[in-house]
Amino acid sequence: MTQFTALDVGLVVASHGRHYIIETPEGERLTCHPRGKRSDCVVGDRVRWQQAGGGEGVIEHLEPRRNLFFRQDEWKVKSFAANIDQLLVLVAAHPVFSESQLARALIAAESAGIPAHIVLNKADLPQFAAAQQRLAAYAAMGLQVFATALKTAPADACARLADLLDAKATLVLGPSGSGKSTLINLLVPGAQAQVGEVSQALNSGRHTTTTTRWYWIDPGRTTALIDSPGFQEFGLRQIGAEQLAGLMPDLREHSRACRFYNCTHLHEPGCGVRAALEQGLISESRYRIYTELFAELARS
Ligand SMILES: Nc1nc2c(ncn2[C@@H]2O[C@H](COP(=O)(O)OP(=O)(O)OP(=O)(O)O)[C@@H](O)[C@H]2O)c(=O)[nH]1
Ligand SMILES: [Mg+2]
Ligand SMILES: [Zn+2]
């Protein structure tokens, strides 16, 4: 890569389809365009760029990635961010979150080697207890589940998340209306991420946040949060059906007891996963999500 070392380095902090916002090591931000038609940079990418006049730049080279968090729907790949330290899946007590979408995001993280945690927001709402119950299986499999009320008890939420976020780059992911931008605004001075009324967002079918964006929490630029648009679909076509149980920690644990090494956990005799299901060691909803996903991935 010696031919690129003369170029400036930059961090991709926002992606707007055809152009990007790059941050220099000095903390200055400028608009950059990709060289050529292909633009495969994502937020979190380290790039080499040079001045192109008019205060804008051209991206010449993409540095190798440590990781990439993405989903693969039927027709397209959607990359969320690269080079992240962890994923924070933010769901809310209301509107009711889809457990299938949560499970999918966690499987994608596991597959990309990215640690994940869950935040259950809107603890002030009456639906909170039921939502917490739906997350019991996730806490049991070793995920950290944080309860917050970002709007009504912001100081408490900050205190609860401070250690987790410190000195890391965290991608905040979750359905529309869960409070991702509320979290960003709370932790990032001057972020001014747009926050939407839930009813409005749901009725219009639109998301308040439409682009992924990198925010620094501290002036020293060591702790970062990445805001992302909510999603309604989360394809996992990058994963083979036979890999799936290995990416679901609760199923993985019990699959060691299966009689057949290539057990699909659907119908084979001597299946450790189904035995655990019958004993209540694996939740019914987790197993149902597994069978649905298995069918979906086996088809593709
Ligand atoms: N009751 C309650 N409402 C909250 C809480 N946190 C956020 N909200 C509200 O939830 C709504 C949605 O918040 P946003 O931060 O815009 O949600 P988002 O996840 O960024 O949504 P998208 O950008 O559409 O993906 C806003 O009206 C917030 O004020 C909370 O702890 N309790
Ligand atoms: Mg938002
Ligand atoms: Zn099995």
Side-chain angles (χ1 to χ4, degrees), residues 108-121:
E110 185 83 23
S111 159
I114 298 165
H117 316 283
I118 299 173
V119 172
L120 175 57
N121 187 34

Side-chain angles (χ1 to χ4, degrees), residues 227-273:
D227 194 8
S228 67
F231 56 85
Q232 270 141 2
E233 193 185 0
F234 201 109
L236 290 173
R237 305 284 167 144
Q238 72 269 34
I239 291 163
E242 72 295 340
Q243 285 178 274
L244 189 57
L247 299 171
M248 299 176 75
D250 45 352
L251 272 73
R252 182 171 63 212
E253 185 189 334
H254 296 286
S255 66
R256 292 194 204 103
C258 296
R259 186 181 304 164
F260 303 111
Y261 80 97
N262 58 352
C263 187
T264 62
H265 323 302
L266 296 176
H267 46 67
E268 293 88 340
C271 173
V273 169

Side-chain angles (χ1 to χ4, degrees), residues 7-8 20 22 30-36 47-53 55-61:
L7 299 171
D8 290 313
Y20 301 92
I22 302 293
L30 76 157
T31 299
C32 274
H33 301 271
R35 168 82 64 203
V47 296
R48 298 276 177 174
W49 65 279
Q50 60 181 328
Q51 297 285 351
E56 302 196 337
V58 173
I59 297 171
E60 301 285 358
H61 172 72

Side-chain angles (χ1 to χ4, degrees), residues 66-69 84-87 106-116 247:
R66 175 156 63 93
N67 58 41
L68 175 68
F69 184 79
I84 57 172
D85 294 308
Q86 59 188 358
L87 174 71
L106 295 175
I107 290 165
E110 185 83 23
S111 159
I114 298 165
L247 299 171

Side-chain angles (χ1 to χ4, degrees), residues 19 61 73 84 97 138 142 144 150 159 168 177 184 199 217 252 266 281 300:
H19 71 274
H61 172 72
D73 301 339
I84 57 172
F97 64 88
Y138 296 84
Q144 281 186 282
L150 292 168
K168 295 200 170 83
I184 305 281
S199 53
I217 289 185
R252 182 171 63 212
L266 296 176
L281 299 172
S300 61

Side-chain angles (χ1 to χ4, degrees), residues 155-232:
D156 185 55
C158 285
R160 224 165 264 206
L161 297 175
D163 282 348
L164 181 77
L165 302 178
D166 185 49
K168 295 200 170 83
T170 304
L171 172 64
V172 183
L173 195 80
S176 194
S178 61
K180 298 179 296 296
S181 297
T182 304
L183 175 70
I184 305 281
N185 286 336
L186 180 61
L187 295 175
V188 183
Q192 293 181 307
Q194 209 186 339
V195 168
E197 285 307 317
V198 170
S199 53
Q200 194 186 315
L202 291 182
N203 288 342
S204 65
R206 257 189 286 115
H207 302 290
T208 306
T209 303
T210 53
T211 58
T212 302
R213 187 172 275 272
W214 181 290
Y215 294 96
W216 293 111
I217 289 185
D218 56 326
R221 291 187 287 139
T222 60
T223 303
L225 284 183
I226 302 145
D227 194 8
S228 67
F231 56 85
Q232 270 141 2

